[in-house]
Amino acid sequence: MGEEVFIIDWIQLNLTGRYRAIKELFSRGLSTEEIISFLGLEKEKLLALRKRAEQEYKRSLDLGIDLIPISSDEYPILLKNISDPPALLYVLGEKVWLKDNFISVVGTRRPTRYGINATRIIVSRLVENGIGIVSGFAYGIDTVAHTEALHGGGYTIGVLGTGIDVVYPKVNRGLRKDILESKRGCLISEFPIGDKPESWHFPRRNRIISGLTQITLVVEASLKSGAMITAGYALEQGREVFAVPGNIDSENSQGTNQLIKEGAKIITSGDDILEEFNVIPKLTTIRLPELNEEEAIIWNILNEPRLEDDILNISGFDVSRFNIIITRLELKGLIERLPGRMLKRKDG
Amino acid sequence: MPFSWKGIPIGMLAKVLSATLLGIEGALVDVEVDISNGLPSFTIVGLPDQAVQESRERIRSAIKNSEFNFPVKRITVNLAPADIKKEGPAFDLPIAIGILMASECIVSQLDSSFLIVGELSLDGSIRPVNGIISMAIMSRELGIPIMFVPYENSSEAALIPGVKVYGIRHLTEIVQFLNGNISLSPAGPAKSIRINEVSGDFSEIKGQESAKRALEIAACGFHNIIMVGPPGSGKTMLAQRLPTILPPLTEEEALEVTKIYSSAGLLPKGGGIIEERPFRSPHHSISLAGMVGGTSNPRPGEISLAHNGVLFLDEFPEFRRDVLEALRQPMEDGTLVISRAHGSIRFPARFMLVASMNPCPCGYLGDTKKPCTCSPYQIERYFSKISGPILDRIDIQIEVPRLETDTLIKSNLGETSESIRMRIKKAREFQSYRFKDGFRANGLMEPREIKEHCKLTPSVQGLLREIIDKFHLSARSYDKLLKVARTIADLSESELIREEDVLEAIQYRVLDRKYWEKKFS
Ligand SMILES: Nc1ncnc2c1ncn2[C@@H]1O[C@H](COP(=O)(O)OP(=O)(O)O)[C@@H](O)[C@H]1O
Ligand SMILES: [Mg+2]
Ligand SMILES: [Zn+2]
């Protein structure tokens, strides 16, 4: 009973949105009751919030949502240290931040193929070495980062700009399911259950992405991209910002190149990041799959993702034979296909 | 039998055989002319349309200007049967002949029945009409041995053996011939004609080997195909070169196509037989009527003009939704049925659909260089327009990526259309034993035919099951995969569908594949 009242207190506090003050008061050792009274809210408002908090609590039980107040040992430590941490986190899935090191990977919602490839290359290397990935569950680079982390057998955390139960963006419903069912990831939100994707949620949510980790990596971002906001928060929070360089004529690399100019560490491989974690990079396990001679030729050409036409030219196969070999490699689970007729080796 | 009349005047009554078009088929029409005493008048009855009504003025002038007397009497023309709508000016000539017979200016010296069609000019010269080949086919079927047709249509009519065709230039000419004053020699059959603008050669297409191979397979098996790729990747270029590798029409198919073009008045002057497969590429702004054909005045639409050939819909999702919807039924049945007050009219519409589209509204999804600026919602909506029943009938789905400029510059010329066409021709010969009981092409196989022609060894069956599983294909994909594999096997003249054929076929089903749905995964 006491526990329940206690959690409802925290929900109520969270609903006030007065994160700075709450953190301030809580770190001085005040109880929830004391903090509530300190905030000096009108009585009516207080009652309304209380009622809402009680409903919120009930719904979270129904939906299987974990509620983690800032007072909890399970609350992410790095996040606790920012100036305006949420008073309470809504969580679905495994609390994986307790298990591993994490890095935030963010970028544009409209990546180029380059941005996508860069994300995949770096993320797969990181998860291979036990670094988990925090991102914003948005379309684009975020989605690539989460997906790649799961594919590589790693951990991932999606920070939502909506209520924890809201499926947004809708096309990511599959990813949402994958994260939750994998037992290797979770979704986190500070917003009340059922909250819609309001545009003001997203920049605010970004401070949690950067706040959860020591390093924020920006893969591909235009100057106006939300990822730049996240980078800004990271700096404000005294965290580090890394960036992947890009072509100077690519709009999507103007933000990242700008960050580099301002002193962000240049990242051109996953190993550049592993250094920072003092992780000794694992030698990429060279798998010697059961390949026949023809398959081996294609496999060797695929040392990086390539356009089908290019592989065909290099290999010298006729197109019919080529397509047969490709299907065989796909069936063996060794290569995969990307939109735009690209092929790549499947990692892991 | 009504058509055994020899056009002999019966008192003041004359009967002449003529024909009209029902869709693209010829239909017999009896032209009866009665001349009686009374106030001078000239009436046409028997469901004539406006153009037929107007023929009275043309007939009157033509007869006068040919130095015959136009009877100053009460003239009644009946077009029978009454339940067929009579359209167009093709009854001018038979009515004029009927009048001249009834007024005894003509006493036919022929001892067999004949059929007349033709439009008259005011000076009595005779102008061509549409659909003559269909009328000739009808004449042969009804056993009418002689046709009088406009001179310009004569070699077209003469394509049908068993009917003697006289090409007529002027009203006086046919009158003198029927009266036995001059002799005419029957027309010889027309030559073959081209309807497609010749458009390049496959060798001009650099790289894109997979796309070219897919088009070869499509052309060989008459499979519907869709090409997905960013702007400038060469989709239009590829499609436009398809006619250069299509196998020739069979005789029966050539006749069907010629009938359609003739009835639409689309044969060039002098007519002829169409021996190449039509290639139609209507713009995406086309109306419903333009695509499927008019309903009030039935005329073949693009889908019929593409019969036995290719209907190329460039920028597929830009077409109006109702226009795309309307393709569904013809794609099932191979015909379009237009219902009218007096029965329905069928237009053949068995075409090979070739569609092209961008991968997303902005066009650059999956591109190596340019970012895609579409929202996920926009992309979902974009695909929803083409998915469903139409996509369901497309056997081959490929991606056409944009090639780097230096790849384009560096690459050598590819294989020529001629050499691809020879392969296809050989494969068609190999398939020919199947062409019975209405079998037309692998792409058009019905489930029963698939069962018969796509038998699999247990090991290939196992492989196919593995593929379906691994690539998460729907049950529907199964048949399509089989059909495409069948054509691939035919191309290497293999009776059996081998593992390789199935392994290759799956590469031409990209829209089925999961990777496509998840933009970034
Ligand atoms: N593979 C290729 N080989 C040669 N020329 C090409 C190729 N791909 C594109 N082009 C050139 O680019 C032009 C644009 O191609 P187009 O077929 O209009 O592309 P799309 O229809 O995909 O937008 C072509 O007319 C051709 O000149
Ligand atoms: Mg085009
Ligand atoms: Zn796009």
PDB file of all heavy atoms in Angstrom, chain A residues 110 113 120 139-140 171 309 312 320 323 327 330 337 340-341, chain B residues 208 210 367 380 399 503-504 506-508 513 515 519-521:
ATOM      1  N   ARG A 110      15.735  11.420 -42.763  1.00  0.00           N
ATOM      2  CA  ARG A 110      15.776  11.184 -44.210  1.00  0.00           C
ATOM      3  C   ARG A 110      17.203  10.935 -44.663  1.00  0.00           C
ATOM      4  O   ARG A 110      17.821  11.768 -45.312  1.00  0.00           O
ATOM      5  CB  ARG A 110      15.231  12.401 -44.941  1.00  0.00           C
ATOM      6  CG  ARG A 110      13.778  12.620 -44.630  1.00  0.00           C
ATOM      7  CD  ARG A 110      13.331  13.959 -45.115  1.00  0.00           C
ATOM      8  NE  ARG A 110      11.895  14.074 -44.874  1.00  0.00           N
ATOM      9  CZ  ARG A 110      11.182  15.143 -45.182  1.00  0.00           C
ATOM     10  NH1 ARG A 110      11.765  16.181 -45.728  1.00  0.00           N
ATOM     11  NH2 ARG A 110       9.906  15.162 -44.924  1.00  0.00           N
ATOM     12  N   ARG A 113      21.795   6.765 -48.650  1.00  0.00           N
ATOM     13  CA  ARG A 113      22.319   5.415 -48.564  1.00  0.00           C
ATOM     14  C   ARG A 113      23.632   5.414 -47.781  1.00  0.00           C
ATOM     15  O   ARG A 113      23.928   4.507 -47.017  1.00  0.00           O
ATOM     16  CB  ARG A 113      22.502   4.885 -50.000  1.00  0.00           C
ATOM     17  CG  ARG A 113      23.120   3.536 -50.153  1.00  0.00           C
ATOM     18  CD  ARG A 113      22.465   2.423 -49.379  1.00  0.00           C
ATOM     19  NE  ARG A 113      21.078   2.195 -49.660  1.00  0.00           N
ATOM     20  CZ  ARG A 113      20.284   1.489 -48.862  1.00  0.00           C
ATOM     21  NH1 ARG A 113      20.752   0.961 -47.745  1.00  0.00           N
ATOM     22  NH2 ARG A 113      19.030   1.312 -49.169  1.00  0.00           N
ATOM     23  N   ARG A 120      25.018   1.346 -40.155  1.00  0.00           N
ATOM     24  CA  ARG A 120      25.102  -0.104 -40.038  1.00  0.00           C
ATOM     25  C   ARG A 120      26.511  -0.562 -39.699  1.00  0.00           C
ATOM     26  O   ARG A 120      26.717  -1.421 -38.847  1.00  0.00           O
ATOM     27  CB  ARG A 120      24.683  -0.754 -41.357  1.00  0.00           C
ATOM     28  CG  ARG A 120      23.225  -0.641 -41.641  1.00  0.00           C
ATOM     29  CD  ARG A 120      22.980  -0.967 -43.099  1.00  0.00           C
ATOM     30  NE  ARG A 120      21.611  -1.450 -43.239  1.00  0.00           N
ATOM     31  CZ  ARG A 120      21.311  -2.710 -43.449  1.00  0.00           C
ATOM     32  NH1 ARG A 120      22.251  -3.600 -43.590  1.00  0.00           N
ATOM     33  NH2 ARG A 120      20.057  -3.079 -43.526  1.00  0.00           N
ATOM     34  N   TYR A 139      11.982   7.499 -37.544  1.00  0.00           N
ATOM     35  CA  TYR A 139      12.236   6.997 -38.875  1.00  0.00           C
ATOM     36  C   TYR A 139      13.669   7.370 -39.258  1.00  0.00           C
ATOM     37  O   TYR A 139      14.229   8.320 -38.752  1.00  0.00           O
ATOM     38  CB  TYR A 139      11.242   7.712 -39.778  1.00  0.00           C
ATOM     39  CG  TYR A 139      10.963   7.021 -41.070  1.00  0.00           C
ATOM     40  CD1 TYR A 139      10.594   5.684 -41.091  1.00  0.00           C
ATOM     41  CD2 TYR A 139      11.040   7.705 -42.265  1.00  0.00           C
ATOM     42  CE1 TYR A 139      10.316   5.057 -42.283  1.00  0.00           C
ATOM     43  CE2 TYR A 139      10.751   7.085 -43.457  1.00  0.00           C
ATOM     44  CZ  TYR A 139      10.393   5.759 -43.461  1.00  0.00           C
ATOM     45  OH  TYR A 139      10.127   5.153 -44.646  1.00  0.00           O
ATOM     46  N   GLY A 140      14.278   6.635 -40.162  1.00  0.00           N
ATOM     47  CA  GLY A 140      15.597   7.028 -40.665  1.00  0.00           C
ATOM     48  C   GLY A 140      16.722   6.403 -39.870  1.00  0.00           C
ATOM     49  O   GLY A 140      16.681   5.226 -39.517  1.00  0.00           O
ATOM     50  N   VAL A 171       4.941   3.006 -39.053  1.00  0.00           N
ATOM     51  CA  VAL A 171       5.701   2.007 -39.812  1.00  0.00           C
ATOM     52  C   VAL A 171       6.721   1.277 -38.946  1.00  0.00           C
ATOM     53  O   VAL A 171       7.233   0.246 -39.347  1.00  0.00           O
ATOM     54  CB  VAL A 171       6.490   2.610 -40.989  1.00  0.00           C
ATOM     55  CG1 VAL A 171       5.611   2.807 -42.176  1.00  0.00           C
ATOM     56  CG2 VAL A 171       7.205   3.865 -40.589  1.00  0.00           C
ATOM     57  N   ASP A 309      25.021  -4.581 -60.085  1.00  0.00           N
ATOM     58  CA  ASP A 309      25.664  -4.464 -61.398  1.00  0.00           C
ATOM     59  C   ASP A 309      27.182  -4.508 -61.287  1.00  0.00           C
ATOM     60  O   ASP A 309      27.857  -5.084 -62.136  1.00  0.00           O
ATOM     61  CB  ASP A 309      25.243  -3.159 -62.076  1.00  0.00           C
ATOM     62  CG  ASP A 309      24.035  -3.363 -62.964  1.00  0.00           C
ATOM     63  OD1 ASP A 309      22.953  -3.607 -62.403  1.00  0.00           O
ATOM     64  OD2 ASP A 309      24.189  -3.311 -64.189  1.00  0.00           O
ATOM     65  N   LEU A 312      28.362  -8.018 -60.522  1.00  0.00           N
ATOM     66  CA  LEU A 312      28.213  -8.814 -61.736  1.00  0.00           C
ATOM     67  C   LEU A 312      29.400  -8.575 -62.663  1.00  0.00           C
ATOM     68  O   LEU A 312      30.017  -9.507 -63.180  1.00  0.00           O
ATOM     69  CB  LEU A 312      26.907  -8.419 -62.418  1.00  0.00           C
ATOM     70  CG  LEU A 312      26.533  -9.161 -63.689  1.00  0.00           C
ATOM     71  CD1 LEU A 312      26.242 -10.613 -63.381  1.00  0.00           C
ATOM     72  CD2 LEU A 312      25.311  -8.525 -64.324  1.00  0.00           C
ATOM     73  N   SER A 320      22.215 -14.729 -65.553  1.00  0.00           N
ATOM     74  CA  SER A 320      21.372 -15.806 -65.085  1.00  0.00           C
ATOM     75  C   SER A 320      22.090 -16.589 -63.976  1.00  0.00           C
ATOM     76  O   SER A 320      21.561 -16.823 -62.892  1.00  0.00           O
ATOM     77  CB  SER A 320      21.027 -16.689 -66.279  1.00  0.00           C
ATOM     78  OG  SER A 320      20.562 -17.921 -65.866  1.00  0.00           O
ATOM     79  N   ASN A 323      22.383 -14.532 -60.749  1.00  0.00           N
ATOM     80  CA  ASN A 323      21.175 -14.500 -59.924  1.00  0.00           C
ATOM     81  C   ASN A 323      20.970 -15.808 -59.166  1.00  0.00           C
ATOM     82  O   ASN A 323      20.467 -15.816 -58.044  1.00  0.00           O
ATOM     83  CB  ASN A 323      19.950 -14.159 -60.785  1.00  0.00           C
ATOM     84  CG  ASN A 323      19.829 -12.661 -61.012  1.00  0.00           C
ATOM     85  OD1 ASN A 323      20.217 -11.868 -60.157  1.00  0.00           O
ATOM     86  ND2 ASN A 323      19.319 -12.265 -62.161  1.00  0.00           N
ATOM     87  N   THR A 327      20.871 -16.076 -55.016  1.00  0.00           N
ATOM     88  CA  THR A 327      19.804 -16.711 -54.244  1.00  0.00           C
ATOM     89  C   THR A 327      20.376 -17.752 -53.302  1.00  0.00           C
ATOM     90  O   THR A 327      19.964 -17.863 -52.148  1.00  0.00           O
ATOM     91  CB  THR A 327      18.761 -17.375 -55.166  1.00  0.00           C
ATOM     92  OG1 THR A 327      18.371 -16.439 -56.160  1.00  0.00           O
ATOM     93  CG2 THR A 327      17.532 -17.790 -54.373  1.00  0.00           C
ATOM     94  N   GLU A 330      21.781 -16.056 -50.397  1.00  0.00           N
ATOM     95  CA  GLU A 330      20.696 -15.541 -49.557  1.00  0.00           C
ATOM     96  C   GLU A 330      20.057 -16.661 -48.743  1.00  0.00           C
ATOM     97  O   GLU A 330      19.753 -16.490 -47.570  1.00  0.00           O
ATOM     98  CB  GLU A 330      19.625 -14.866 -50.424  1.00  0.00           C
ATOM     99  CG  GLU A 330      19.979 -13.472 -50.880  1.00  0.00           C
ATOM    100  CD  GLU A 330      18.787 -12.789 -51.544  1.00  0.00           C
ATOM    101  OE1 GLU A 330      18.015 -12.135 -50.835  1.00  0.00           O
ATOM    102  OE2 GLU A 330      18.633 -12.932 -52.768  1.00  0.00           O
ATOM    103  N   ARG A 337      19.905  -8.301 -49.023  1.00  0.00           N
ATOM    104  CA  ARG A 337      19.607  -7.379 -50.082  1.00  0.00           C
ATOM    105  C   ARG A 337      19.116  -6.077 -49.465  1.00  0.00           C
ATOM    106  O   ARG A 337      18.381  -6.082 -48.493  1.00  0.00           O
ATOM    107  CB  ARG A 337      18.475  -8.017 -50.853  1.00  0.00           C
ATOM    108  CG  ARG A 337      18.188  -7.526 -52.168  1.00  0.00           C
ATOM    109  CD  ARG A 337      17.212  -8.513 -52.798  1.00  0.00           C
ATOM    110  NE  ARG A 337      17.942  -9.415 -53.651  1.00  0.00           N
ATOM    111  CZ  ARG A 337      18.495  -9.007 -54.786  1.00  0.00           C
ATOM    112  NH1 ARG A 337      18.403  -7.763 -55.182  1.00  0.00           N
ATOM    113  NH2 ARG A 337      19.135  -9.861 -55.533  1.00  0.00           N
ATOM    114  N   GLY A 340      17.388  -0.700 -53.750  1.00  0.00           N
ATOM    115  CA  GLY A 340      18.286  -0.053 -54.693  1.00  0.00           C
ATOM    116  C   GLY A 340      19.281  -1.040 -55.274  1.00  0.00           C
ATOM    117  O   GLY A 340      20.323  -0.674 -55.772  1.00  0.00           O
ATOM    118  N   ARG A 341      18.933  -2.314 -55.208  1.00  0.00           N
ATOM    119  CA  ARG A 341      19.777  -3.372 -55.781  1.00  0.00           C
ATOM    120  C   ARG A 341      21.166  -3.420 -55.199  1.00  0.00           C
ATOM    121  O   ARG A 341      22.157  -3.571 -55.903  1.00  0.00           O
ATOM    122  CB  ARG A 341      19.899  -3.183 -57.292  1.00  0.00           C
ATOM    123  CG  ARG A 341      18.798  -3.820 -58.067  1.00  0.00           C
ATOM    124  CD  ARG A 341      19.278  -4.173 -59.437  1.00  0.00           C
ATOM    125  NE  ARG A 341      19.151  -5.601 -59.657  1.00  0.00           N
ATOM    126  CZ  ARG A 341      18.131  -6.141 -60.302  1.00  0.00           C
ATOM    127  NH1 ARG A 341      17.160  -5.393 -60.727  1.00  0.00           N
ATOM    128  NH2 ARG A 341      18.086  -7.422 -60.489  1.00  0.00           N
TER     129      ARG A 341
ATOM    130  N   GLN B 208      22.745  -2.815 -66.395  1.00  0.00           N
ATOM    131  CA  GLN B 208      21.352  -3.241 -66.149  1.00  0.00           C
ATOM    132  C   GLN B 208      21.113  -4.671 -66.649  1.00  0.00           C
ATOM    133  O   GLN B 208      20.051  -4.977 -67.202  1.00  0.00           O
ATOM    134  CB  GLN B 208      20.349  -2.295 -66.830  1.00  0.00           C
ATOM    135  CG  GLN B 208      20.476  -0.848 -66.433  1.00  0.00           C
ATOM    136  CD  GLN B 208      20.026  -0.573 -65.008  1.00  0.00           C
ATOM    137  OE1 GLN B 208      19.888  -1.504 -64.210  1.00  0.00           O
ATOM    138  NE2 GLN B 208      19.828   0.677 -64.650  1.00  0.00           N
ATOM    139  N   SER B 210      20.513  -7.435 -65.125  1.00  0.00           N
ATOM    140  CA  SER B 210      19.388  -8.141 -64.529  1.00  0.00           C
ATOM    141  C   SER B 210      18.070  -7.672 -65.118  1.00  0.00           C
ATOM    142  O   SER B 210      17.172  -8.470 -65.373  1.00  0.00           O
ATOM    143  CB  SER B 210      19.376  -7.914 -63.016  1.00  0.00           C
ATOM    144  OG  SER B 210      19.617  -9.110 -62.342  1.00  0.00           O
ATOM    145  N   ASP B 367      18.415   5.141 -53.212  1.00  0.00           N
ATOM    146  CA  ASP B 367      19.440   5.647 -54.122  1.00  0.00           C
ATOM    147  C   ASP B 367      20.772   5.776 -53.395  1.00  0.00           C
ATOM    148  O   ASP B 367      20.817   6.032 -52.192  1.00  0.00           O
ATOM    149  CB  ASP B 367      19.021   7.011 -54.675  1.00  0.00           C
ATOM    150  CG  ASP B 367      19.836   7.411 -55.890  1.00  0.00           C
ATOM    151  OD1 ASP B 367      19.617   6.806 -56.948  1.00  0.00           O
ATOM    152  OD2 ASP B 367      20.704   8.293 -55.762  1.00  0.00           O
ATOM    153  N   GLU B 380       3.904   4.630 -47.785  1.00  0.00           N
ATOM    154  CA  GLU B 380       2.857   3.611 -47.631  1.00  0.00           C
ATOM    155  C   GLU B 380       1.707   3.863 -48.588  1.00  0.00           C
ATOM    156  O   GLU B 380       1.193   2.962 -49.227  1.00  0.00           O
ATOM    157  CB  GLU B 380       2.324   3.608 -46.187  1.00  0.00           C
ATOM    158  CG  GLU B 380       3.077   2.668 -45.289  1.00  0.00           C
ATOM    159  CD  GLU B 380       2.351   2.409 -43.971  1.00  0.00           C
ATOM    160  OE1 GLU B 380       1.254   2.966 -43.747  1.00  0.00           O
ATOM    161  OE2 GLU B 380       2.889   1.639 -43.178  1.00  0.00           O
ATOM    162  N   GLU B 399      13.924  -4.268 -59.636  1.00  0.00           N
ATOM    163  CA  GLU B 399      14.422  -2.940 -59.337  1.00  0.00           C
ATOM    164  C   GLU B 399      15.393  -2.527 -60.434  1.00  0.00           C
ATOM    165  O   GLU B 399      16.194  -3.336 -60.895  1.00  0.00           O
ATOM    166  CB  GLU B 399      15.204  -2.967 -58.029  1.00  0.00           C
ATOM    167  CG  GLU B 399      14.383  -2.753 -56.808  1.00  0.00           C
ATOM    168  CD  GLU B 399      15.308  -2.619 -55.618  1.00  0.00           C
ATOM    169  OE1 GLU B 399      15.774  -3.666 -55.134  1.00  0.00           O
ATOM    170  OE2 GLU B 399      15.577  -1.487 -55.217  1.00  0.00           O
ATOM    171  N   LEU B 503      15.825 -20.872 -58.559  1.00  0.00           N
ATOM    172  CA  LEU B 503      16.748 -19.972 -57.852  1.00  0.00           C
ATOM    173  C   LEU B 503      16.856 -18.629 -58.572  1.00  0.00           C
ATOM    174  O   LEU B 503      16.948 -17.584 -57.951  1.00  0.00           O
ATOM    175  CB  LEU B 503      18.141 -20.601 -57.746  1.00  0.00           C
ATOM    176  CG  LEU B 503      18.267 -21.768 -56.780  1.00  0.00           C
ATOM    177  CD1 LEU B 503      19.602 -22.478 -56.974  1.00  0.00           C
ATOM    178  CD2 LEU B 503      18.120 -21.321 -55.337  1.00  0.00           C
ATOM    179  N   GLU B 504      16.832 -18.682 -59.890  1.00  0.00           N
ATOM    180  CA  GLU B 504      16.921 -17.424 -60.624  1.00  0.00           C
ATOM    181  C   GLU B 504      15.609 -16.657 -60.537  1.00  0.00           C
ATOM    182  O   GLU B 504      15.594 -15.439 -60.342  1.00  0.00           O
ATOM    183  CB  GLU B 504      17.293 -17.667 -62.098  1.00  0.00           C
ATOM    184  CG  GLU B 504      17.498 -16.352 -62.841  1.00  0.00           C
ATOM    185  CD  GLU B 504      17.854 -16.503 -64.321  1.00  0.00           C
ATOM    186  OE1 GLU B 504      18.117 -17.638 -64.773  1.00  0.00           O
ATOM    187  OE2 GLU B 504      17.868 -15.466 -65.000  1.00  0.00           O
ATOM    188  N   ILE B 506      13.419 -16.296 -58.320  1.00  0.00           N
ATOM    189  CA  ILE B 506      13.127 -15.533 -57.104  1.00  0.00           C
ATOM    190  C   ILE B 506      13.731 -14.138 -57.165  1.00  0.00           C
ATOM    191  O   ILE B 506      13.243 -13.200 -56.550  1.00  0.00           O
ATOM    192  CB  ILE B 506      13.603 -16.299 -55.846  1.00  0.00           C
ATOM    193  CG1 ILE B 506      13.272 -15.529 -54.563  1.00  0.00           C
ATOM    194  CG2 ILE B 506      15.072 -16.575 -55.877  1.00  0.00           C
ATOM    195  CD1 ILE B 506      11.829 -15.360 -54.310  1.00  0.00           C
ATOM    196  N   GLN B 507      14.782 -13.980 -57.952  1.00  0.00           N
ATOM    197  CA  GLN B 507      15.410 -12.655 -58.063  1.00  0.00           C
ATOM    198  C   GLN B 507      14.547 -11.661 -58.824  1.00  0.00           C
ATOM    199  O   GLN B 507      14.838 -10.471 -58.840  1.00  0.00           O
ATOM    200  CB  GLN B 507      16.794 -12.752 -58.718  1.00  0.00           C
ATOM    201  CG  GLN B 507      17.801 -13.552 -57.908  1.00  0.00           C
ATOM    202  CD  GLN B 507      18.129 -12.915 -56.559  1.00  0.00           C
ATOM    203  OE1 GLN B 507      17.920 -11.732 -56.339  1.00  0.00           O
ATOM    204  NE2 GLN B 507      18.633 -13.716 -55.637  1.00  0.00           N
ATOM    205  N   TYR B 508      13.504 -12.154 -59.456  1.00  0.00           N
ATOM    206  CA  TYR B 508      12.634 -11.238 -60.198  1.00  0.00           C
ATOM    207  C   TYR B 508      11.297 -11.038 -59.482  1.00  0.00           C
ATOM    208  O   TYR B 508      10.263 -10.813 -60.091  1.00  0.00           O
ATOM    209  CB  TYR B 508      12.415 -11.759 -61.632  1.00  0.00           C
ATOM    210  CG  TYR B 508      13.704 -12.143 -62.319  1.00  0.00           C
ATOM    211  CD1 TYR B 508      13.928 -13.428 -62.779  1.00  0.00           C
ATOM    212  CD2 TYR B 508      14.733 -11.209 -62.458  1.00  0.00           C
ATOM    213  CE1 TYR B 508      15.126 -13.776 -63.391  1.00  0.00           C
ATOM    214  CE2 TYR B 508      15.937 -11.548 -63.057  1.00  0.00           C
ATOM    215  CZ  TYR B 508      16.125 -12.837 -63.511  1.00  0.00           C
ATOM    216  OH  TYR B 508      17.316 -13.174 -64.108  1.00  0.00           O
ATOM    217  N   ARG B 513       9.495  -9.236 -51.431  1.00  0.00           N
ATOM    218  CA  ARG B 513      10.511  -9.532 -50.449  1.00  0.00           C
ATOM    219  C   ARG B 513      10.452  -8.570 -49.298  1.00  0.00           C
ATOM    220  O   ARG B 513      10.219  -7.394 -49.458  1.00  0.00           O
ATOM    221  CB  ARG B 513      11.883  -9.483 -51.118  1.00  0.00           C
ATOM    222  CG  ARG B 513      11.959 -10.344 -52.382  1.00  0.00           C
ATOM    223  CD  ARG B 513      12.306 -11.748 -52.053  1.00  0.00           C
ATOM    224  NE  ARG B 513      13.563 -11.739 -51.350  1.00  0.00           N
ATOM    225  CZ  ARG B 513      14.735 -11.768 -51.941  1.00  0.00           C
ATOM    226  NH1 ARG B 513      14.823 -11.850 -53.238  1.00  0.00           N
ATOM    227  NH2 ARG B 513      15.838 -11.727 -51.233  1.00  0.00           N
ATOM    228  N   TYR B 515      12.611  -7.160 -47.450  1.00  0.00           N
ATOM    229  CA  TYR B 515      13.539  -6.032 -47.319  1.00  0.00           C
ATOM    230  C   TYR B 515      12.954  -4.762 -47.892  1.00  0.00           C
ATOM    231  O   TYR B 515      13.321  -3.663 -47.536  1.00  0.00           O
ATOM    232  CB  TYR B 515      14.879  -6.358 -47.973  1.00  0.00           C
ATOM    233  CG  TYR B 515      14.916  -6.194 -49.483  1.00  0.00           C
ATOM    234  CD1 TYR B 515      15.321  -4.999 -50.045  1.00  0.00           C
ATOM    235  CD2 TYR B 515      14.556  -7.226 -50.335  1.00  0.00           C
ATOM    236  CE1 TYR B 515      15.368  -4.836 -51.422  1.00  0.00           C
ATOM    237  CE2 TYR B 515      14.605  -7.073 -51.700  1.00  0.00           C
ATOM    238  CZ  TYR B 515      15.010  -5.883 -52.243  1.00  0.00           C
ATOM    239  OH  TYR B 515      15.048  -5.725 -53.583  1.00  0.00           O
ATOM    240  N   LYS B 519      12.050   0.139 -44.988  1.00  0.00           N
ATOM    241  CA  LYS B 519      12.920   1.034 -45.716  1.00  0.00           C
ATOM    242  C   LYS B 519      14.363   0.966 -45.221  1.00  0.00           C
ATOM    243  O   LYS B 519      15.301   1.017 -45.990  1.00  0.00           O
ATOM    244  CB  LYS B 519      12.381   2.443 -45.560  1.00  0.00           C
ATOM    245  CG  LYS B 519      13.226   3.512 -46.220  1.00  0.00           C
ATOM    246  CD  LYS B 519      12.502   4.844 -46.162  1.00  0.00           C
ATOM    247  CE  LYS B 519      13.382   5.960 -46.667  1.00  0.00           C
ATOM    248  NZ  LYS B 519      12.763   7.261 -46.574  1.00  0.00           N
ATOM    249  N   PHE B 520      14.554   0.869 -43.942  1.00  0.00           N
ATOM    250  CA  PHE B 520      15.906   1.028 -43.408  1.00  0.00           C
ATOM    251  C   PHE B 520      16.481  -0.218 -42.779  1.00  0.00           C
ATOM    252  O   PHE B 520      17.461  -0.153 -42.068  1.00  0.00           O
ATOM    253  CB  PHE B 520      15.935   2.150 -42.380  1.00  0.00           C
ATOM    254  CG  PHE B 520      15.497   3.446 -42.954  1.00  0.00           C
ATOM    255  CD1 PHE B 520      14.368   4.070 -42.492  1.00  0.00           C
ATOM    256  CD2 PHE B 520      16.212   4.018 -43.992  1.00  0.00           C
ATOM    257  CE1 PHE B 520      13.955   5.272 -43.037  1.00  0.00           C
ATOM    258  CE2 PHE B 520      15.805   5.211 -44.537  1.00  0.00           C
ATOM    259  CZ  PHE B 520      14.672   5.836 -44.062  1.00  0.00           C
ATOM    260  N   SER B 521      15.816  -1.328 -42.960  1.00  0.00           N
ATOM    261  CA  SER B 521      16.365  -2.449 -42.205  1.00  0.00           C
ATOM    262  C   SER B 521      17.060  -3.421 -43.133  1.00  0.00           C
ATOM    263  O   SER B 521      17.020  -3.292 -44.320  1.00  0.00           O
ATOM    264  CB  SER B 521      15.288  -3.152 -41.423  1.00  0.00           C
ATOM    265  OG  SER B 521      14.215  -3.413 -42.289  1.00  0.00           O
TER     266      SER B 521
END
